[in-house]
Amino acid sequence: MSEFKKFNVVPVLPEELTQLVSISENLWYCWNHDAFSLFRDIDGDLWHKSNHNPVRVLKEADQDRLNELADDQEYLVRVTKVADDLNKYISGNGASDKKDHMIAYFSAEYGLTEGIPIYSGGLGILSGDHIKSASDLDLNLTGIGLLYQEGYFQQRLDKNGWQQDFYRVNDFSSMPLHEVTNSEGVALTIEVLLADNPVWLKVWRIDAGRVTLYMLDSNIEKNSDHDKKLTAHLYGGDREHRLKQEVVLGIGGMRIFKELGIEPDAVHINEGHSAFALFERALQFTEKYSLGLKEAIELSKKSTVFTTHTPVPAGNDEFSPELIKKYFTGYTQKLGISVDEFIDLGKDPGNKHGSDFSMTVAAIRNSSYVNGVSELHGEVAVKMWNHLWTDIPVEHTPVQSITNGIHIQSWISREMKELLDGSLGEKWAYRKGNGEISELINNVSSESLWNIKKIRKDKLIDYVRMKVKDQCREKGIFNRTSKDYDNILDPNALTIGFARRFASYKRGDLIFKDTERLKKLLFDTERPIQIIIAGKAHPQDNPGKEIIKRITGFINSDNIGSRVVFLENYNINIGRYLVQGVDLWLNNPIRLFEASGTSGMKAVVNGGLNLSVLDGWWDEGFNGKNGWAVGERTPIDDPHFRDEVESDSIYSVLEDEIVPMFFERDQKGVPLKWMERVKNSIATLSPRFNTFRMVSDYNEKFYINAANNFKKLKENDFTPLKEFTKWKTHIEKHFRDIKISDITYDKKLNFSVGEKLEVDVLTDLGAISPEDVKVEVYFGRMERDDRLMSSELVSLNHNVEHSGKGALFSGSITCRTTGNLGFKIRITPRHDFMVNSMEMNLVKWG
């Protein structure tokens, strides 16, 4: 037979419903419950089948149903209200000062909505929530990413519990995407060279509230079949494929701005995948402004923010010199440096593969603002990367921390939002600081809060039963009756959620270590618990797949499946059901391996409590009354003993505290002590661990300063930039000639608290002027190994009245604490454009 001739038939959207089009094309719909429900109510089955994609719903909806809705006055009123709300939102809130600076935000993945599946896990969800809060804050921020034709892999487990990986092709024409065209209406394409091979990239636009994202797609006719697949999969392929993707993301991403005539005032590199953008930005500066490379790199560096998310060295992308030479020899000629000099910019001297090019190292060296994603991760990142700076204490490493958060409106259930809006005020999710909420939380009725939790748990259980039924059918399991599915999970049981990437360090099977002890908890006749699990292991991560197999093996034994469920193909929608419905969120990574984590934050705003290792965000969020901790902060070196101790901790806390508290009820069946802890959790955690606070922090600490640096350095035809670059060259040439001639201080052994120790430092600065250095006293309590604890830095002033040889700096230390104290003198370069003292990696000790 000959092939079918294919064509589409789409419904005619009645004129009364045309406003649905503009609503469907802006991702604002996915964090607005009223907008969300408009499309769900057109056809619930189609809404589910389309993965909550409103564009596809409008294309495939039944014509009779649309005509019916066009006559439904109540529905039309809802449409008009949502359209008006969207227009008001897009028009902004008058915060024009926030539009002064244009920020370019780069990320390899974006978890914006399940309807655009171009994310894998936490990094993508964080990026998506960052974009949404940037929109809520009315920031002038533009996102850059890759539009993956097949996204991240889909997961299915076989009958033995072994993960099967497969891909689904994304139909971009039926998604909330727009082709970007040039001034002549022709599709915009960006060209990059990969080993002298030109690759063309189509540009798509995603509208997320007030924020625009530009996404690159290599699957176009002009490219070879091989190059078309460059943007096929997220985190797929070998090292060479990964390098080419990161060239496309970084270099191609920066070229979008050039083609559109946009110049970002600051750039935010979210993880090292897009570090090549910084070199492309510098190259564009040399071409546009006739700057030298050193000046161009300086201009880029002074206005760049880099966020690292990876506390494990192996998680940072590195590429061999051979690969870099293959793909960057021609590019470095444009930069005006050799490929070996380029490789040096990304070399990690602390790595056993020290000749490799590290994307993280390149990003750190070419950014003025570097941060980890929780207070604890900031400390870990400081220790990881301290070796990049010469001869400085760990605490002087210029890596800061901004703790992650969640976009509350995207994750909170409608029922919970309505309750908290009524009690805390509609703007409660936009408040920084928990003072007011701690008082207002008393207005929330424990009974009302409990009833909402029951409603959401019932919805979760219905959803889980449906999912398990679908999973069984896909495996060819047809011997289960409707009663079998109805017996899956108990609405009255304490419900625990565990959902995340199945990397080994996350220890997805820790709670299954003592199965007999767990069974007693699961099948207690009066106080049962149950567990819902979801998550994917990377296709190449066999240890992670083994963990999933062990869990499903346990589920399939002894009728455990009525109390423990594994949901396949974890995505945003499954995550939303879980965090909105579970009572307790479990998180048990190996401590210091979890940079932040955000899933537990999502449970908080939905009235769930956390049971977690004191890692990532929970290390700073836990106060003893807003959840529970697994184990302690004291490290245990033996991994087997550590797992024994911490699994025992999980069981013990469940047996002794959590289960008794959950099942202790008043006459109305409300667990009052439990609900008090839930209120404490909402009051103390939700105001802090949200992306409204997080993005505000980025803006106030980094974006504004970075953008101001950029503008100041450009003034007067780049005179400040050229002078600063010249100054740095001078300092680099002569700094090592600095000598500390003499240190004078009172050498008596004992000082009283409050007394001052006067210090004079005589220096020979050689060719460097006194105003170009900072002379400080580095002091603190002495430890036995001559390390300082609780150290401080006190600046000394240049004594202009000193007439002798050399430059004299004077000041004093105030003795605030008792004990054995010690001090050193630290000299570093000083300039108004230096973001931190360690920026030039120059320090003199005395």
Side-chain angles (χ1 to χ4, degrees):
M1 292 178 64
S2 60
E3 291 185 356
F4 284 103
K5 310 301 186 290
K6 299 177 182 178
F7 59 95
N8 291 326
V9 177
V10 297
V12 177
L13 195 66
E15 184 177 351
E16 294 86 350
L17 301 180
T18 53
Q19 292 179 107
L20 287 173
V21 175
S22 58
I23 298 170
S24 73
E25 292 178 342
N26 191 305
L27 297 194
W28 172 83
Y29 74 78
C30 73
W31 71 90
N32 182 284
H33 290 288
D34 291 337
F36 204 80
S37 64
L38 285 178
F39 301 102
R40 181 196 61 209
D41 292 351
I42 292 174
D43 184 334
D45 290 338
L46 177 57
W47 180 240
H48 174 70
K49 177 184 173 184
S50 71
N51 208 17
H52 300 170
N53 178 352
V55 173
R56 185 175 163 194
V57 167
L58 293 181
K59 282 188 172 184
E60 297 182 15
D62 180 76
Q63 185 68 58
D64 290 340
R65 175 57 177 161
L66 292 176
N67 294 339
E68 177 186 338
L69 289 171
D71 292 329
D72 185 335
Q73 293 304 310
E74 182 180 345
Y75 184 81
L76 295 180
V77 168
R78 289 167 58 197
V79 171
T80 300
K81 181 184 182 304
V82 170
D84 289 345
D85 288 346
L86 174 58
N87 289 332
K88 290 175 184 176
Y89 180 88
I90 296 300
S91 66
N93 53 15
S96 58
D97 60 312
K98 295 179 180 178
K99 293 289 188 182
D100 289 346
H101 308 305
M102 192 276 173
I103 315 300
Y105 181 87
F106 284 76
S107 184
E109 53 173 304
Y110 289 94
L112 293 154
T113 168
E114 57 269 36
I116 307 180
I118 53 172
Y119 60 91
S120 71
L123 178 68
I125 301 300
L126 186 280
S127 298
D129 282 7
H130 191 115
I131 292 295
K132 293 171 186 176
S133 280
S135 173
D136 291 340
L137 283 158
D138 203 13
L139 296 187
N140 187 8
L141 183 144
T142 298
I144 297 291
L146 301 182
L147 193 62
Y148 303 99
Q149 187 74 47
E150 299 179 26
Y152 198 50
F153 76 93
Q154 305 293 304
Q155 177 198 55
R156 183 183 296 132
L157 304 185
D158 64 20
K159 291 181 179 180
N160 297 316
W162 188 254
Q163 176 178 292
Q164 306 294 311
D165 318 317
F166 66 99
Y167 292 88
R168 291 196 181 110
V169 176
N170 289 321
D171 179 8
F172 296 154
S173 67
S174 296
M175 289 182 174
L177 304 168
H178 307 270
E179 292 185 9
V180 178
T181 58
N182 61 21
S183 57
E184 300 175 352
V186 178
L188 182 66
T189 56
I190 305 297
E191 181 186 354
V192 296
L193 288 177
L194 296 174
D196 297 327
N197 173 49
V199 175
W200 286 271
L201 305 158
K202 186 174 183 178
V203 184
W204 297 82
R205 189 185 85 241
I206 297 175
D207 295 324
R210 304 181 184 111
V211 168
T212 297
L213 293 92
Y214 293 110
M215 315 298 287
L216 290 165
D217 170 19
S218 69
N219 187 26
I220 58 177
E221 285 301 317
K222 292 173 71 173
N223 290 327
S224 67
D225 289 343
H226 183 268
D227 290 337
K228 286 177 183 178
K229 296 177 181 178
L230 274 176
T231 56
H233 299 153
L234 172 61
Y235 304 142
D238 57 15
R239 301 306 300 163
E240 186 167 3
H241 182 81
R242 175 71 71 89
L243 173 63
K244 291 193 285 187
Q245 280 192 327
E246 295 186 0
V247 169
V248 168
L249 173 62
I251 294 177
M254 275 307 306
R255 289 182 182 174
I256 292 175
F257 293 111
K258 182 179 179 181
E259 289 296 323
L260 295 175
I262 300 171
E263 183 171 76
D265 297 307
V267 169
H268 185 174
I269 301 295
N270 192 42
E271 196 55 285
H273 308 114
S274 45
F276 293 136
L278 306 182
F279 302 107
E280 174 64 20
R281 189 176 183 219
L283 177 61
Q284 290 182 17
F285 289 155
T286 65
E287 296 171 342
K288 182 176 181 180
Y289 298 117
S290 299
L291 296 174
L293 180 62
K294 194 169 184 179
E295 295 167 338
I297 287 177
E298 196 62 53
L299 183 60
S300 174
K301 178 176 180 176
K302 279 290 171 291
S303 52
T304 295
V305 180
F306 170 58
T307 300
T308 175
H309 295 258
T310 310
V312 183
N316 295 276
D317 279 347
E318 294 182 343
F319 301 106
S320 69
E322 291 73 26
L323 273 179
I324 295 296
K325 288 177 181 179
K326 179 177 179 180
Y327 287 95
F328 280 90
T329 298
Y331 189 81
T332 57
Q333 290 174 357
K334 291 183 181 179
L335 288 172
I337 58 175
S338 70
V339 70
D340 288 325
E341 289 174 307
F342 181 77
I343 292 172
D344 286 342
L345 296 173
K347 275 186 181 179
D348 181 358
N351 194 312
K352 63 181 180 180
H353 305 295
S355 61
D356 286 355
F357 185 95
S358 165
M359 298 294 280
T360 302
V361 170
I364 290 174
R365 285 185 176 149
N366 290 280
S367 303
S368 286
Y369 304 91
V370 179
N371 72 285
V373 290
S374 68
E375 290 178 3
L376 184 59
H377 177 236
E379 297 173 13
V380 172
V382 161
K383 293 175 181 176
M384 279 182 67
W385 302 112
N386 170 256
H387 64 272
L388 297 181
W389 289 267
T390 305
D391 195 26
I392 65 168
V394 169
E395 64 266 29
H396 293 177
T397 307
V399 176
Q400 304 180 58
S401 64
I402 292 180
T403 302
N404 283 345
I406 62 161
H407 186 252
I408 291 177
Q409 294 83 347
S410 292
W411 297 101
I412 192 169
S413 71
R414 175 190 283 273
E415 297 90 343
M416 187 63 72
K417 183 179 185 299
E418 290 174 352
L419 175 66
L420 296 182
D421 283 358
S423 300
L424 307 180
E426 290 188 1
K427 298 295 183 182
W428 69 274
Y430 300 101
R431 294 188 183 126
K432 293 196 292 181
N434 58 23
E436 189 175 357
I437 290 181
S438 293
E439 296 177 8
L440 292 173
I441 198 70
N442 295 320
N443 297 333
V444 179
S445 159
S446 292
E447 184 178 359
S448 299
L449 194 56
W450 175 243
N451 286 337
I452 285 174
K453 286 303 301 177
K454 289 199 298 182
I455 290 171
R456 292 310 311 184
K457 186 189 289 188
D458 286 344
K459 290 186 177 183
L460 169 62
I461 290 174
D462 287 344
Y463 177 76
V464 168
R465 290 169 177 170
M466 177 194 73
K467 286 285 293 181
V468 172
K469 189 174 184 179
D470 289 343
Q471 290 172 191
C472 287
R473 285 177 174 173
E474 287 197 358
K475 294 177 179 59
I477 300 173
F478 297 104
N479 59 349
R480 293 189 178 183
T481 66
S482 296
K483 185 177 180 181
D484 292 328
Y485 293 113
D486 291 343
N487 287 333
I488 294 173
L489 303 182
D490 178 356
N492 298 310
L494 169 69
T495 304
I496 301 172
F498 182 96
R500 54 194 30 86
R501 192 162 49 90
F502 266 78
S504 298
Y505 77 85
K506 292 178 182 286
R507 298 186 296 183
D509 56 349
L510 191 64
I511 196 171
F512 300 98
K513 199 161 187 65
D514 186 338
T515 55
E516 293 307 312
R517 195 171 177 184
L518 178 59
K519 287 177 185 178
K520 290 180 181 179
L521 287 163
L522 292 170
F523 293 102
D524 188 295
T525 55
E526 296 182 358
R527 304 186 305 184
I529 73 167
Q530 56 197 13
I531 309 171
I532 307 173
I533 306 164
K536 299 176 179 179
H538 188 278
Q540 298 172 5
D541 182 9
N542 285 332
K545 292 181 179 180
E546 289 287 355
I547 292 174
I548 293 174
K549 184 179 179 183
R550 286 197 295 272
I551 292 172
T552 55
F554 174 69
I555 291 173
N556 292 329
S557 66
D558 300 327
N559 197 35
I560 301 296
S562 63
R563 285 287 183 268
V564 183
V565 175
F566 190 98
L567 299 181
E568 299 173 20
N569 210 28
Y570 183 39
N571 60 16
I572 288 176
N573 190 43
I574 291 175
R576 191 185 295 116
Y577 268 102
L578 283 171
V579 298
Q580 292 177 1
V582 299
D583 302 301
L584 186 71
W585 195 259
L586 177 64
N587 183 39
N588 44 236
I590 299 171
R591 191 169 188 270
L592 304 184
F593 279 58
E594 186 90 292
S596 173
T598 58
S599 55
M601 303 174 191
K602 301 173 183 111
V604 166
V605 298
N606 286 288
L609 293 173
N610 278 270
L611 170 61
S612 176
V613 167
L614 291 166
D615 199 13
W617 79 280
W618 192 238
D619 186 71
E620 63 193 86
F622 176 59
N623 69 4
K625 298 178 181 178
N626 56 7
W628 291 271
V630 174
E632 301 177 356
R633 292 185 173 92
T634 306
I636 300 175
D637 294 331
D638 184 324
H640 299 291
F641 182 56
R642 178 197 61 220
D643 290 355
E644 290 286 348
V645 168
E646 294 183 355
S647 64
D648 179 73
S649 175
I650 292 174
Y651 299 131
S652 296
V653 174
L654 282 169
E655 293 162 347
D656 300 337
E657 298 183 45
I658 295 175
V659 171
M661 184 183 293
F662 182 80
F663 285 99
E664 182 183 338
R665 309 291 171 84
D666 69 357
Q667 292 180 341
K668 294 182 178 180
V670 179
L672 293 178
K673 290 183 180 178
W674 182 273
M675 299 318 297
E676 284 304 309
R677 192 164 288 232
V678 167
K679 290 182 185 180
N680 192 310
S681 171
I682 294 171
T684 60
L685 301 174
S686 63
R688 183 176 175 190
F689 298 101
N690 64 75
T691 45
F692 187 84
R693 185 275 312 157
M694 182 193 83
V695 179
S696 295
D697 283 352
Y698 275 108
N699 188 48
E700 293 161 12
K701 294 181 180 180
F702 296 160
Y703 294 166
I704 291 173
N705 293 325
N708 283 337
N709 289 344
F710 183 71
K711 292 178 178 179
K712 289 176 183 176
L713 287 166
K714 287 178 63 181
E715 290 174 355
N716 300 320
D717 194 25
F718 297 94
T719 297
L721 172 65
K722 292 172 181 177
E723 290 179 348
F724 179 54
T725 307
K726 184 178 179 181
W727 176 88
K728 287 186 75 172
T729 300
H730 174 73
I731 295 297
E732 287 167 348
K733 181 178 179 181
H734 296 288
F735 188 85
R736 287 174 177 81
D737 297 333
I738 290 176
K739 295 180 178 61
I740 296 176
S741 304
D742 191 27
I743 301 172
T744 305
Y745 63 100
D746 189 340
K747 294 182 173 63
K748 69 180 183 180
L749 292 177
N750 296 311
F751 288 80
S752 301
V753 172
E755 195 173 351
K756 291 189 176 182
L757 171 63
E758 302 293 335
V759 180
D760 291 311
V761 179
L762 184 62
T763 65
D764 178 1
L765 300 178
I768 295 177
S769 300
E771 61 267 22
D772 291 334
V773 296
K774 183 186 294 185
V775 181
E776 298 166 297
V777 180
Y778 169 56
F779 76 101
R781 187 188 298 274
M782 295 290 297
E783 293 293 296
R784 290 181 181 179
D785 57 359
D786 277 355
R787 288 186 303 115
L788 295 187
M789 298 296 291
S790 303
S791 64
E792 295 182 52
L793 283 168
V794 173
S795 294
L796 303 182
N797 298 314
H798 177 221
N799 189 336
V800 295
E801 296 180 359
H802 174 68
S803 58
K805 188 176 180 181
L808 182 67
F809 294 82
S810 304
S812 62
I813 303 169
T814 302
C815 303
R816 296 187 181 89
T817 60
T818 60
N820 296 318
L821 276 66
F823 76 89
K824 287 184 178 182
I825 300 302
R826 189 184 88 165
I827 303 178
T828 55
R830 175 170 58 188
H831 193 284
D832 289 344
F833 281 124
M834 285 185 64
V835 174
N836 61 75
S837 296
M838 292 296 106
E839 178 179 316
M840 295 181 66
N841 203 4
L842 295 173
V843 61
K844 175 75 69 172
W845 294 98

